[in-house]
Amino acid sequence: MTPPIPDGQDPMRALLRASHHLRADQLGTAVLRTAPRLDGVRLAVVYVVDYEQQSLVPLGGEGVPAREPLDVDESTGGGAFRRVAPVSSRASDGAVTLWMPLLDGAERLGVLELVFDGDAPEGADEAIRAYAALVAELCVTRDEYSDVLTRLRRNRPMTIAAEIQWELVPPLTFGTDRIVIAAALEPSYEIGGDTFDYAVNGELADLMVLDAVGHGLPAALLATVAVGAYRSGRRAELSLTDISARMNRAIEEQFTASRFATALLVRLDLAGGTLHWVNAGHPAPLVVRDGALLPPHPCRSSLPLGLQPGPAQECSVQLRPGDRVLLYTDGIVEARSPGGEFFGEDRLADFVVRAEAAGDPPPETLRRLMRSVLDHQAGQLQDDASIVLVEWRTGREEQMRL
C-alpha cells in the first residue's frame, strides 16, 4: 500500500512527505496522486529510459493507467527526451499532454507525462519543472536500494560482465558551466572489457577510457581492478603518469603477462583549458574545433597497462572554448560494414560536427552515434564500443549569448 498522501499540501510538499517511506514500486502511484495538485493537471505517468536508450518504459502502480512503451525516436514523449525540453500535444477532445524530461543534473532518466483538460495555465511552468525535478531525484534515490527501476529498464537478460561494468561507471552525462561530459557503452547487455570513469574536482576534470583485453567476465574483472587502481590514484591526487604506474602495477600483480588493458587517462584544467593525457596503447584523443577534426597530435603512445616497463609519457594540448574532445575505444572506429569498410575517425568526427550543427545536445549526439555504429555493422557489433565526449567551456557562453 502506498503511504498516505497528506491533504491540503502543495504537490511538492505532499510528494516529499510521502517519499520518506516510499518504495520504488510505489513511486508511480505517489506521482499519480500528487500531480493533480498542480494547477490543471488531471493525470500523470512516469516513464524511464531503457539501457539502450531506444524506448521509454512506463512505471506502473496502483491506479496508474496502462501505458505502452514509447519509441524514443518516433514518439512525442521521445521528442522531449531527445531535445531535453518540454513537448506538448493536443488530443481530439481538447486534452493537452505535456511531456517533461526527467533529469538528474544533466543525466536523462526518462520523461513525465502530464495530462491537462485544456491548455496548461499561464505561469505554471516553474511549478511543473520543480515537480518534474523532484520526481527525477526520487527515481535516483529509489534506484539505490531497489531493483524495480533497473528491471524495468531492461528488455532482455544482462550478462554478469555487463552487470559489473554498469555498476562501475558514473552517470552517462554530467554538466556544469565549464564542462559537459557525455558517454555511451555498447553492447548494453553484453559489455565486457570497455569502461570509462570521470570526476570533476574543483578546477580539474579527470577522465579515463579503458579497453581490457579479451571478452566477457575475465575482461570485466581486469577492468574492475584497473578502475579501482585509477580511482585510488586519482583520489590520492597523483599525477597522470603516477596513476598510470599504479594501474600498471595492479594489473601486473593480479594477472598473467598475457592480460593487459589499453587506456587513455585525461586531465583537463577547467580554468585555462589545457588538456593533459597519458596514452597507454589506446586510440589517441580526437579534438573537433569549429566544425573540423584537428590533425593528430604528435605525442607518442606508451605501452598498454600491465606491460609498461617504465613511466608513461604525458602529452598536452591547449583547447579553445567550444572544443569537443572524443575519447573512445577501437570498437568505434574499427567497426566494419558487411563490405569491410571501417567506420573510421573521419566518419566519427563528421557525425559529431553534423550533430552539433543540428543543435543536438552531447548525450543525444552519442545516443545517435551508437545507433549509427551499429547500423554500419548491419546490426551486429563485432567488439565492445565505448566513447566519452567532452566539451570545454569558459563559463561565459550564456552571458555572451544574452
Side-chain angles (χ1 to χ4, degrees):
M1 180 178 176
T2 304
I5 308 297
D7 293 328
Q9 290 187 344
D10 64 65
M12 293 278 290
R13 207 173 280 182
L15 185 55
L16 272 173
R17 180 74 178 272
S19 73
H20 296 312
H21 300 285
L22 193 68
R23 301 194 312 259
D25 59 297
Q26 299 169 329
L27 178 58
T29 299
V31 170
L32 178 75
R33 292 179 179 174
T34 56
R37 302 186 187 192
L38 291 164
D39 194 9
V41 173
R42 76 171 150 85
L43 183 66
V45 179
V46 176
Y47 294 74
V48 294
V49 70
D50 77 320
Y51 273 88
E52 295 178 306
Q53 298 193 335
Q54 293 301 293
S55 62
L56 293 159
V57 188
L59 177 60
E62 181 185 349
V64 178
R67 291 286 194 269
E68 293 295 321
L70 304 173
D71 188 292
V72 169
D73 290 303
E74 302 295 336
S75 65
T76 306
F81 181 86
R82 296 192 312 271
R83 301 170 197 165
V84 198
V87 177
S88 63
S89 60
R90 186 181 297 274
S92 58
D93 63 357
V96 171
T97 300
L98 178 65
W99 300 93
M100 294 293 299
L102 294 177
L103 303 172
D104 175 34
E107 172 83 343
R108 301 181 298 179
L109 306 177
V111 295
L112 176 64
E113 174 192 3
L114 297 172
V115 181
F116 298 78
D117 287 323
D119 292 325
E122 285 190 30
D125 288 1
E126 186 175 345
I128 291 171
R129 288 179 185 275
Y131 183 83
L134 175 57
V135 173
E137 293 306 310
L138 291 177
C139 286
V140 173
T141 57
R142 300 314 98 162
D143 199 38
E144 288 295 311
Y145 56 78
S146 171
D147 293 326
V148 169
L149 296 178
T150 298
R151 289 171 179 164
L152 194 65
R153 295 180 58 215
R154 298 182 179 186
N155 56 39
R156 63 179 183 273
M158 185 172 283
T159 66
I160 296 174
E163 290 278 5
I164 292 172
Q165 294 293 45
W166 280 109
E167 290 301 316
L168 278 179
V169 297
L172 294 179
T173 311
F174 172 80
T176 70
D177 60 339
R178 290 295 184 91
I179 189 171
V180 176
I181 301 170
L185 288 172
E186 286 288 355
S188 297
Y189 295 91
E190 294 101 25
I191 193 78
D194 279 18
T195 193
F196 71 93
D197 197 27
Y198 66 81
V200 178
N201 300 305
E203 294 293 345
L204 292 179
D206 279 276
L207 306 102
M208 184 268 294
V209 174
L210 180 137
D211 183 358
V213 67
H215 300 281
L217 193 53
L221 294 176
L222 195 158
T224 301
V225 170
V227 170
Y230 171 71
R231 290 176 176 170
S232 171
R234 187 187 70 206
R235 290 165 180 167
E237 301 183 88
L238 301 183
S239 68
L240 290 180
T241 53
D242 286 344
I243 294 174
S244 176
R246 180 171 292 197
M247 296 172 72
N248 181 75
R249 188 165 55 251
I251 294 173
E252 195 175 45
E253 291 173 351
Q254 298 301 320
F255 300 93
T256 64
S258 62
R259 305 301 306 282
F260 58 88
T262 69
L264 199 60
L265 314 182
V266 174
R267 180 165 289 165
L268 175 59
D269 169 20
L270 298 180
T274 304
L275 185 77
H276 302 267
W277 74 89
V278 163
N279 188 343
H282 201 80
L286 299 180
V287 179
V288 177
R289 175 178 297 163
D290 298 330
L293 177 64
L294 294 190
H297 194 279
C299 183
R300 67 180 175 85
S301 171
S302 303
L303 288 175
L305 300 171
L307 304 176
Q308 293 178 355
Q313 180 178 352
E314 183 172 320
C315 318
S316 65
V317 69
Q318 179 62 45
L319 298 183
R320 294 180 186 172
D323 280 357
R324 288 186 168 187
V325 182
L326 302 173
L327 319 174
Y328 58 93
T329 60
D330 56 14
I332 298 286
V333 295
E334 293 181 7
R336 285 179 182 263
S337 69
E341 181 185 8
F342 285 123
F343 192 81
E345 293 179 357
D346 289 337
R347 197 190 308 264
L348 169 59
D350 181 64
F351 189 98
V352 171
V353 168
R354 287 187 287 108
E356 184 177 16
D360 290 342
E364 180 61 18
T365 297
L366 293 196
R367 188 189 75 85
R368 292 180 54 243
L369 171 65
M370 283 305 198
R371 300 279 69 76
S372 181
V373 170
L374 193 62
D375 290 344
H376 184 75
Q377 299 174 92
Q380 294 295 322
L381 275 176
Q382 297 133 14
D383 192 8
D384 292 351
S386 59
I387 186 167
V388 177
L389 185 156
V390 184
E391 181 179 315
W392 179 61
R393 300 173 171 180
T394 65
R396 298 190 299 272
E397 283 80 4
E398 292 298 327
Q399 297 175 9
M400 290 168 66
R401 279 197 285 266
L402 290 176

